[in-house]
Amino acid sequence: MSEVELWIALILGIMMLSSAVLALVVKNHLAAVAAASVVSLGLALLFALMRAPDVAMTEAAVGAGLSSLILALALRRLGLWQIDSGRENSNLLSASSKGKDDA
Amino acid sequence: MIPGVTLELILYTTALGLVIIGLAGVVLSSHLFRMVLALVIAEAGANLMLVLSGYRWDAVAPILLQRAEQPTMVDPVPQAMVLTAIVIGVGIQALAVSILIRIRQRYGNLKRRDVAEKMDAEIAASAGIRRDISQDAPLGERPLSPLPAHTAESRGGDA
């Protein structure tokens, strides 16, 4: 039981830290909002692991749902909303997928 | 698993890492929207650390049962505080986003350096003073020009 919790916490922690870095590095603002939402979702799972089920529910609903909704709608008002940055490799994900297509 | 690696160690590392990444993003990012995102990440790390302060590995969730002997519970007080902090965090985020929308309406973009330049110019214009502060000379023009290289060298030799 404890061993399983340890592995789950390790995987979630690595996922959260890497997607926190990704949220600050990636060019596309919508992808950055999605990465911040992944951090919130992993935090909700960690709260459930730490026997705080009420906090986990609130974090999943408010932190991951409402806050990323607010940020994404703000992106539309700020004129930064772009789903796909298309031609140039301005995006980490599009760059990697383009490289895969070439290979 | 490696002996010595406990659940608390992993969780503290995650919380500290999130706070550090968030603060570095607030300080280093050059776009104002990215700054708000970094603030959200730092706040997530702070919440994790608060809940972690009441955590015990051998305890159950803080729910009272109708039973003769109550098993040990994790501390419910930090959990209640974090429940409030999550909601307040979303409020702060909405306020920051609304300020961003006003900045975009006024200055046209959200680049940090650009907005700071325009804001400085506007403050100087409304105060009616000359604007002599720039990013390269934050305290304004120097009263004396810096010494040429050979003068500084000879002065150092004298001292």
Side-chain angles (χ1 to χ4, degrees):
Chain A
M1 183 62 188
S2 177
E3 188 85 356
V4 176
E5 282 183 354
L6 215 60
W7 280 107
I8 292 173
L10 190 64
I11 292 170
L12 279 179
I14 291 173
M15 188 186 79
M16 284 167 68
L17 286 180
S18 53
S19 81
V21 172
L22 195 67
L24 300 181
V25 167
V26 73
K27 284 282 195 300
N28 193 345
H29 285 86
L30 204 57
V33 170
S37 172
V38 167
V39 174
S40 268
L41 214 55
L43 191 66
L45 290 177
L46 278 187
F47 283 152
L49 196 71
M50 289 160 67
R51 290 153 190 125
D54 47 347
V55 186
M57 276 193 290
T58 311
E59 176 72 31
V62 176
L66 189 61
S67 111
S68 49
L69 191 69
I70 287 174
L71 287 175
L73 290 181
L75 277 183
R76 299 189 65 152
R77 285 293 285 273
L78 292 173
L80 299 171
W81 177 283
Q82 52 180 158
I83 301 286
D84 191 14
S85 49
R87 304 171 289 285
E88 74 274 28
N89 283 341
S90 64
N91 183 349
L92 271 184
L93 299 176
S94 80
S96 68
S97 69
K98 192 164 286 183
K100 212 174 291 177
D101 286 345
D102 290 342
Chain B
M1 206 66 185
I2 310 149
V5 176
T6 58
L7 187 58
E8 279 92 345
L9 179 66
I10 295 172
L11 292 177
Y12 270 118
T13 312
T14 308
L16 262 183
L18 283 180
V19 171
I20 288 171
I21 290 171
L23 287 184
V26 169
V27 174
L28 295 178
S29 60
S30 62
H31 197 274
L32 289 181
F33 187 76
R34 221 40 85 91
M35 221 174 267
V36 175
L37 275 186
L39 201 66
V40 171
I41 290 169
E43 179 207 314
N47 285 343
L48 181 56
M49 189 162 282
L50 274 177
V51 172
L52 199 52
S53 71
Y55 176 69
R56 296 178 50 159
W57 66 272
D58 56 347
V60 300
I63 299 169
L64 288 176
L65 300 171
Q66 299 294 330
R67 207 185 284 170
E69 78 281 0
Q70 187 70 38
T72 14
M73 306 185 303
V74 296
D75 193 359
V77 176
Q79 296 185 5
M81 296 292 156
V82 165
L83 207 61
T84 316
I86 290 171
V87 180
I88 292 174
V90 174
I92 288 173
Q93 202 173 310
L95 178 67
V97 156
S98 68
I99 292 173
L100 282 193
I101 290 174
R102 291 304 301 267
I103 289 176
R104 170 114 199 300
Q105 282 175 356
R106 179 138 191 123
Y107 296 124
N109 64 359
L110 286 175
K111 298 271 187 295
R112 182 179 60 82
R113 185 173 284 244
D114 204 12
V115 169
E117 290 277 339
K118 285 178 182 168
M119 210 174 271
D120 274 348
E122 206 163 78
I123 289 172
S126 70
I129 53 174
R130 194 171 59 88
R131 176 169 170 271
D132 56 352
I133 300 173
S134 71
Q135 291 278 341
D136 301 322
L139 295 177
E141 291 298 318
R142 295 181 184 213
L144 299 171
S145 60
L147 294 171
H150 60 278
T151 349
E153 223 166 69
S154 67
R155 187 171 287 186
D158 287 341

